[in-house]
Amino acid sequence: MEMGIAIAFWVLAAVIIGAALAVVLGRNIFRAALFLVLCFFTIAGIFVILSADFLAGVQVLIYVGAIGVLIIFAIMLTRETQRGSPSGRLRLPALIAGLLFLATMVFVIVSTDWQIVAEIPTEPTTSGIAQALFSKEEGFVLPFEIAAALLLAAIIGAIVLVREK
Amino acid sequence: MLGNFGYIGIFLISALGFAIFMVLIPPILRRSGIVPKKPNPTKSSTYECGMETVGKSWVQFNFRYYFFALLFVIFDIQVVFLYPWAVAFKQLKLFGLLEMLAFFLILVVGFIYAWRKGVLEWK
């Protein structure tokens, strides 16, 4: 079991890094988007081996589904994608910003006192999350209904955006 | 629980293997000499029966499609709430059902609006 999880982790990690490098280094932006989707999907696999089944499901739904579709649509609606990435002036600032971000992330990863569970949790988490979100006593009923109002605002906003010519 | 995901992993691996295998069949058959290599213009055309393609395959899509992408994202976020609710449906009892009904009633307003404005019609 432990061995299998270790193998799965290293395979997934290799695929994630390979896909991420393909996103950055690839010349064709559409292929880069597809590699980004692969990267998101394998991160869902990482969530699975961490026994976070709800996060894995949401990762597939939101990142692979929604964000992947949005990025691919954005590329397909853009006229000048065949020429590749045209930006040349922002290369140095982008490098500096990227390195700063990397340094911040590495610092946070190293300096955080991670809480580690000794045993692998055996119970699925989705039911517990549902109880915490929807139950009558300690649930978040009002925020949940307000989320519906937020989504309603998003729908109406999308309609207004499309109708404006 | 990890065991159940193991089944999903087996499905994924067999799906990937099947796709790769299908792509590899033609070159393997040709290299091994089972299929003779005698190309002619009809054989190597993209569509054997159908219209000849004109221009590049990469075209700019109509902006109207983006609305459907946005709607899809909104539905997707709805599903994020539906998913744990459906898993714990029995434990949540009637209260959970009423909650989700209220959630959907709020969202239905948006769809009635979209319907009345005619944005779902294709002109």
Side-chain angles (χ1 to χ4, degrees), chain A residues 61 77 81 131 134 145 163, chain B residues 58 60 62 76 91 99:
Chain A
L61 273 175
L77 295 168
T81 48
Q131 295 286 345
F134 298 118
E145 304 299 346
R163 279 178 62 82
Chain B
W58 193 262
Q60 189 189 3
N62 193 329
D76 229 31
Q91 291 95 310
E99 258 178 300

Side-chain angles (χ1 to χ4, degrees), chain A residues 129-141, chain B residues 91-92 95-96 99:
Chain A
I129 287 170
Q131 295 286 345
L133 186 61
F134 298 118
S135 74
K136 203 189 247 174
E137 293 82 27
E138 69 263 28
F140 295 90
V141 181
Chain B
Q91 291 95 310
L92 292 169
F95 186 70
E99 258 178 300

